[in-house]
Amino acid sequence: MGTVVSQTVYTDREGVTEQVTELLDTLEQDTLSWRAEGSEVAAVNAAAGSDAFVPLSDELRGYLEVLLSVSENSGGAFDVTIGAVTGLWNIDAWAASASAGENAEDGAAGIPDREAVRRALELTGYEKVQLSPEGIRLPEGMRLDLGAVGKGIACDELATLLSQLPQTALSGAVISVGGSILTYGEKPDGTPWQVAVTDPFCTEEYAGVLSLTGQWCVSTSGDYERYLEVAGRRYHHIMDPATGYPADSGVRSVTVVCKSGILSDALSTACFVLGAEEGLRLAEHYGAEALFITNEGSFVMTEGMEALFRP
Ligand code: AMP
Ligand code: MG
């Protein structure tokens, strides 16, 4: 998934960490990746514009149902059909080449012109997706992009994997898949899990710590994760589907805590696009806890988050 995975598993069983790695590889290669030929999402995208419905696995259908409902409830701030826009910007490749030491002029050349952005935007729109018992159908040129939720989905699948192990064999685990973290069970000493929230103003440091007991998913979306600066302006990887440009809603990061990984991950992205005020309402609608770090460096959070977060 183009990210770092770290895991701590309290177990007396051999091979649990290998099972975790295997599950992540399979999920990426077989289902979610739009890059991996042979994945389900790639097949759906390749068939866009054809009359036939593409059959879906129960898993992908389930994910898409959740994602389309988040799209609707966020007024389109989250949009799983954003692929043509993210493909045009290609921030991932861009940021990777920048961190590999290539110069910023290359980045400048990579900013798409307004007309190209407008055309790509026309190829997006979650309300144009047809989901039926037969499968899914996308209009010509539309591309699904599950990049906002792959890591959260992985957390859900990992929680299922861990829950299937004998309870005597595994007492607790904390697994971090890029910007999403699963806490599961208990630490041997019974103290809460401590999850640091990155300080977006100084990413080597943290803005505070979440104390979590038992099973939770935590996802953060931030403008510091994948970006390039060109002529003093930051172009990051979270797009506003209303404009086709990087979202600019007054926040630098959003952290969402809830029981579901797909929801925490989708909501963190949606809330980043919406900003603190509307984002709070969306999080509350889902019964999720959210923490916004604003451009001014202040914290805005749901009531329940106050009990979990220590600045
Ligand atoms: P995250 O870091 O979890 O917020 O996810 C960001 C990734 O989600 C990007 O790299 C894109 O692949 C995708 N993405 C960007 N903007 C949106 C959006 N508005 N709705 C859904 N997915 C998006
Ligand atoms: Mg996300």
Side-chain angles (χ1 to χ4, degrees):
M1 296 186 180
T3 193
V4 176
V5 174
S6 71
Q7 45 176 326
T8 303
V9 182
Y10 297 100
T11 180
D12 54 16
R13 228 173 128 98
E14 295 282 322
V16 177
T17 54
E18 287 79 2
Q19 276 178 280
V20 165
T21 313
E22 198 181 306
L23 183 148
L24 293 175
D25 280 344
T26 312
L27 184 65
E28 166 82 344
Q29 295 300 319
D30 295 357
T31 311
L32 300 179
S33 176
W34 52 267
R35 288 193 201 88
E37 252 180 83
S39 85
E40 249 194 295
V41 167
V44 170
N45 285 343
S50 85
D51 282 343
F53 280 86
V54 181
L56 290 173
S57 65
D58 291 345
E59 289 78 24
L60 185 56
R61 173 184 297 279
Y63 304 149
L64 289 173
E65 281 168 356
V66 173
L67 300 177
L68 290 172
S69 88
V70 174
S71 295
E72 210 166 291
N73 287 317
S74 66
F78 179 87
D79 195 332
V80 70
T81 69
I82 194 87
V85 170
T86 50
L88 177 68
W89 283 87
N90 204 10
I91 299 268
D92 286 7
W94 196 20
S97 69
S99 56
E102 291 171 30
N103 61 33
E105 294 338 299
D106 293 333
I111 297 172
D113 65 56
R114 284 192 177 271
E115 181 53 24
V117 171
R118 196 191 57 74
R119 281 197 307 271
L121 265 185
E122 281 176 0
L123 303 174
T124 69
Y126 67 92
E127 67 289 347
K128 298 178 209 156
V129 174
Q130 289 177 277
L131 202 57
S132 86
E134 291 165 74
I136 187 169
R137 199 159 75 175
L138 305 180
E140 178 95 53
M142 183 175 271
R143 295 279 176 274
L144 298 182
D145 175 355
L146 272 71
V149 288
K151 295 161 191 131
I153 290 173
C155 287
D156 289 335
E157 301 292 337
L158 290 172
T160 305
L161 170 82
L162 297 180
S163 70
Q164 285 161 353
L165 296 171
Q167 288 309 291
T168 48
L170 179 129
S171 58
V174 58
I175 305 178
S176 153
V177 187
S180 288
I181 292 165
L182 168 73
T183 64
Y184 183 91
E186 282 186 11
K187 274 206 288 194
D189 66 3
T191 59
W193 301 108
Q194 307 283 320
V195 177
V197 177
T198 299
D199 180 353
F201 294 90
C202 177
T203 55
E204 306 292 294
E205 316 233 332
Y206 50 95
V209 177
L210 295 163
S211 286
L212 303 170
T213 307
Q215 188 176 334
W216 291 99
C217 293
V218 182
S219 296
T220 297
S221 291
D223 69 3
Y224 53 85
E225 287 175 287
R226 291 172 189 168
Y227 70 94
L228 256 196
E229 253 153 22
V230 179
R233 234 201 106 171
R234 176 174 295 221
Y235 295 89
H236 60 75
H237 68 309
I238 304 170
M239 298 293 149
D240 184 344
T243 64
Y245 283 79
D248 183 17
S249 66
V251 300
R252 303 228 29 214
S253 81
V254 184
T255 298
V256 174
V257 180
C258 67
K259 292 290 175 185
S260 152
I262 188 172
L263 271 182
S264 66
D265 210 357
L267 290 174
S268 70
T269 307
C271 288
F272 186 97
V273 174
L274 288 173
E277 198 176 318
E278 283 183 66
L280 273 182
R281 277 202 294 274
L282 181 69
E284 278 160 5
H285 173 84
Y286 279 96
E289 304 305 341
L291 164 72
F292 299 77
I293 304 183
T294 70
N295 287 352
E296 291 72 40
S298 56
F299 299 130
V300 177
M301 59 190 111
T302 53
E303 228 175 277
M305 183 60 96
E306 282 170 32
L308 306 175
F309 180 72
R310 211 171 52 248

